[in-house]
Amino acid sequence: MRPSAPPALPALGLALPLLLLLPPAPRAAYRAPRFDPTWKSLDARPLPAWFDQAKFGIFVHWGVFSVPSFGSEWFWWYWQEKKIPMYVKFMEDNYRPDFKYEDFGPLFTARFFNASYWADVFQASGAKYTVLTSKHHEGFTLWGSKHSWNWNAVDVGPKRDLVKELEAAIRNRTDLRFGLYYSLFEWFHPLFLEDKSRSFHQQQFPVSKTLPELYELVNKYQPEVLWSDGDGDAPDEYWNSTVFLAWLYNQSPVRDTVVTNDRWGLGTICKHGGYYTCSDRYHPGHLLPHKWENCMTIDKFSWGYRRDARLSDYLTIEELVKELVETVSCGGNLLMNIGPTYDGTIPVIFEERLRQMGTWLKVNGEAIYETYPWRSQSDVTPDVWYTSKPKQKLVYAIYLKWPTSRHLFLGQPIATPGATEELLKKNHLIVTDTGLLHIFYHDISENFGIMYR
């Protein structure tokens, strides 16, 4: 059949499958520790298989910074520490002179937060895991932390355990894995600042705040992704990271399924941990020898919701699909971030992007989920990327732009003259209603063209 026009949004970026011959430990049964509290031992832990198979997750940045919702989730730091003029002026124009950042706490109401609706939207997106900011650098916890008196969502603002509500909804209504982000340091916590003033030779803050909260989070909510961040320029020895991770991998209730990232102290990023993030919005564009994740934002400039954002500040669905395809082709996972509002709603543009991604994945998810990088990640033809399923002897060519010539040339497959032509004649070329092009080939040796018929 000959399509009269490029396919509609659901078929954006099409996938061609090609058939080839090619410390308080829980009260559980005792287990002998398998991992020592050293990076050499911890880095040898195999990454649980589910994470590589998942490919796509949703990051959620939500906290007191969602109240001013101006400029960045780093609002407090930019206003009080850096005194950046636009943030200072925003406060002068909109709040009384004696207003403090802590006064935003009661205004973080989560009044319209409906965890079930969030879960349904996340499920519709096609994501396989989600990561919620349980505590950002401002120190406000989205659960009733025993170690964050009067600066948590149970004592102030919502008067609700937001982590528990979302965790229950995700696990009861979806097939997503539930994960939590946690910032090790806090910008203005007096104990952290005192430790810092002594070049981190004392550990008041991690001993009394960070580590107790990490143990509490894991034991209470059992996250299967623990996304650490914010080392505050302190080394991993200060945070006691290796001891905590040894407990997490050996004795915690999620020891067999939890995955961790690489942000456990100064110098650990892109070097130690379960999978690498290397930097925010990390996108190398080539295959890496270690599992990695591209954590990025739909809003090009902020992780938290911004009232001052313009339409052009948001990535289009075409740009997001491209980011997903390129990331997965190079062996990574995509963790795509949204920023809810202070009252607990997902802004319409974020919901639209999530649902659009889900629509695309319903058509092309076979070429994304549970795939592996192929011998070539991309093609000489621009905007063509490959994934594979070796056990099924399948390679997928995903092309992001509908060829105006109605010919798609693939330079990486190697064709056998005669045999390939006969096989194509025998099987015929099929373009489905959704635009998904199926080509089954055997031992291919020269560049060849594919014509839509």
Side-chain angles (χ1 to χ4, degrees), residues 364-377:
N364 300 293
E366 179 187 340
I368 298 295
Y369 304 123
E370 301 182 23
T371 60
Y372 297 86
W374 193 39
R375 59 174 174 77
S376 296
Q377 283 66 67

Side-chain angles (χ1 to χ4, degrees), residues 139-159:
F140 188 90
T141 66
L142 298 191
W143 84 100
S145 169
K146 301 173 183 176
H147 310 280
S148 188
W149 180 81
N150 215 36
W151 192 234
N152 66 76
V154 174
D155 292 340
V156 179
K159 305 292 180 72

